[in-house]
Amino acid sequence: MQAVRFHRYGPPAVLACEEVPPPPVSPNEIRVAVHAAGVNPVDWRYRRGELKWMDWASFPRTPGADIAGTVHAVGDEVTAFHVGDRVVAMLDILSGAGYAEQVCVPADQAAHAPDSISMVEAAGLPLVTLTAIQALRDKAQLAAGEHVLINGASGGVGTMAVQWAAAQGATVTGVCSPRNAALVQSLGADTVIDYTSEDPLAASDAFDVVFDIVGNQSLAEAKAALRRNGRFVTTAITPRRFWEAFASRFMPGPTGYVVVVQPRGSDLASVMQMVDAGTLTPVVDRTYPLCDAKAAHQYSETKRAQGKIVLITEQEDVP
Ligand SMILES: NC(=O)c1ccc[n+]([C@@H]2O[C@H](COP(=O)([O-])OP(=O)(O)OC[C@H]3O[C@@H](n4cnc5c(N)ncnc54)[C@H](OP(=O)(O)O)[C@@H]3O)[C@@H](O)[C@H]2O)c1
């Protein structure tokens, strides 16, 4: 089978399409014939070597945390999936190896994909939607009637966070550049702030939750814009943000959180139900053939994606 691999950290050019044997399936896993694989910023951070402090595996590596496809083989202990099922999964961020024609996934990290979405749409959903839900539901405990500011509303995580928050009955303010204002509004934002001409955190006492997906805000900067029991959640995994979040528990006023997305099949199953019901709509910006992963990374690294970037294997047209 074909897999995208890199033999050293470096620029997009280190990615190469290579012929490798299919992975053996463990008792608790399913092997999936991958039709489409989502691209996430963590994939190129991994390729650049920015995550080597948490990564002890040897080269070569295959990136890729998001896949959609059909079940090709089932481990002895797996009862929830059968050969031929359409599935979607979030793999482990470092060892996932989703940029490949076949991949093994622990069954508890997968969910059935409804017939109402394409494999390309499904592959763009897992990591970003689980991030949005685990940030807004589990960390911020966003409630109906509350007001949330979503910074980075037009990207992969943001397009899902806006829709999920609106579906919970929250009032949503999305932050994006002018070219994305119509998109963010169409996803359910009540108000849009253009970050190129306005400071999103200028209002005082305005928000119950600030969700920073860009990584250019801090709890200290968001404090005045947040209400007294406000919550600040960031996707930026840095020692400084962890410290700020920890320290906020011992101080009056808003609390800080860092979200670190976890693969979780049960969350993914509820995402699929919401998609099937039309409550969440996948937003796909561009697709590339699997072996053009280099070009997909170059585009993702511009940080201008509108929704998701997805790689397609030659199996994509299999029903
Ligand atoms: N902690 C975790 O578990 C976790 C999970 C998922 C993602 N992340 C991190 O979260 C970040 C976002 O991920 P993503 O998948 O959403 O990325 P993405 O899809 O690449 O985001 C691209 C979007 O960011 C917007 N953007 C860029 N600069 C902006 C700014 N200053 N203000 C507002 N919007 C801005 C762009 O809109 P414009 O073109 O309009 O500027 C574009 O639509 C990445 O750094 C990723 O590594 C962390």
Side-chain angles (χ1 to χ4, degrees):
M1 66 166 197
Q2 297 265 295
V4 174
R5 304 205 295 181
F6 58 100
H7 293 257
R8 62 177 177 87
Y9 297 124
V14 299
L15 296 175
C17 222
E18 296 175 356
E19 195 64 31
V20 299
V25 64
S26 299
N28 66 332
E29 291 180 334
I30 52 176
R31 188 168 60 222
V32 180
V34 177
H35 297 196
V39 173
N40 289 287
V42 70
D43 303 344
W44 48 260
R45 293 189 200 286
Y46 176 43
R47 189 210 70 224
R48 286 178 179 181
E50 291 175 14
L51 307 176
K52 61 180 152 194
W53 56 276
M54 53 193 279
D55 174 23
W56 303 100
S58 55
F59 288 107
R61 316 282 179 79
T62 294
D66 280 341
I67 58 107
T70 46
V71 176
H72 187 262
V74 177
D76 292 344
E77 294 169 8
V78 176
T79 54
F81 297 97
H82 302 95
V83 171
D85 287 355
R86 296 173 94 241
V87 291
V88 60
M90 182 185 154
L91 313 168
D92 291 327
I93 281 172
L94 296 185
S95 59
Y99 292 9
E101 288 181 331
Q102 291 185 38
V103 70
C104 288
V105 188
D108 63 1
Q109 292 176 210
H112 287 98
D115 290 336
S116 54
I117 52 169
S118 70
M119 290 275 108
V120 167
E121 290 172 320
L125 287 167
L127 186 144
V128 291
T129 317
L130 296 190
T131 303
I133 291 177
Q134 290 170 14
L136 294 174
R137 180 195 64 191
D138 301 347
K139 298 291 183 187
Q141 301 190 359
L142 180 70
E146 289 195 316
H147 192 171
V148 57
L149 179 88
I150 296 176
N151 186 41
S154 53
V157 178
T159 51
M160 291 300 120
V162 168
Q163 294 185 72
W164 192 86
Q168 304 315 303
T171 301
V172 180
T173 295
V175 180
C176 61
S177 69
R179 75 186 183 113
N180 289 318
L183 167 70
V184 170
Q185 228 144 13
S186 75
L187 297 173
D190 301 276
T191 311
V192 170
I193 295 178
D194 165 12
Y195 71 84
T196 66
S197 63
E198 207 181 321
D199 174 3
L201 298 175
S204 64
D205 215 20
F207 305 110
D208 300 286
V209 174
V210 170
F211 182 24
D212 174 31
I213 304 166
V214 179
N216 63 353
Q217 296 176 339
S218 66
L219 172 60
E221 288 161 347
K223 224 163 203 167
L226 280 163
R227 298 186 173 135
R228 196 177 151 69
N229 71 340
R231 288 85 75 200
F232 173 83
V233 192
T234 179
T235 62
I237 300 177
T238 65
R240 196 174 173 150
R241 292 288 169 268
F242 275 112
W243 170 249
E244 199 179 45
F246 175 73
S248 71
R249 281 157 190 56
F250 306 100
M251 289 188 265
T255 311
Y257 300 91
V258 178
V259 64
V260 182
V261 64
Q262 304 300 320
R264 202 178 288 150
S266 53
D267 278 351
L268 204 45
S270 38
V271 169
M272 290 301 128
Q273 277 172 7
M274 291 180 83
V275 172
D276 202 29
T279 314
L280 286 180
T281 302
V283 182
V284 177
D285 179 344
R286 294 187 189 181
T287 62
Y288 295 83
L290 176 69
C291 289
D292 278 356
K294 180 178 133 186
H297 273 213
Q298 281 166 335
Y299 180 50
S300 180
E301 284 176 80
T302 66
K303 301 185 182 177
R304 297 277 83 81
Q306 297 165 298
K308 291 301 303 180
I309 303 163
V310 178
L311 302 173
I312 306 175
T313 72
E314 288 182 0
Q315 306 169 105
E316 204 276 325
D317 52 355
V318 178

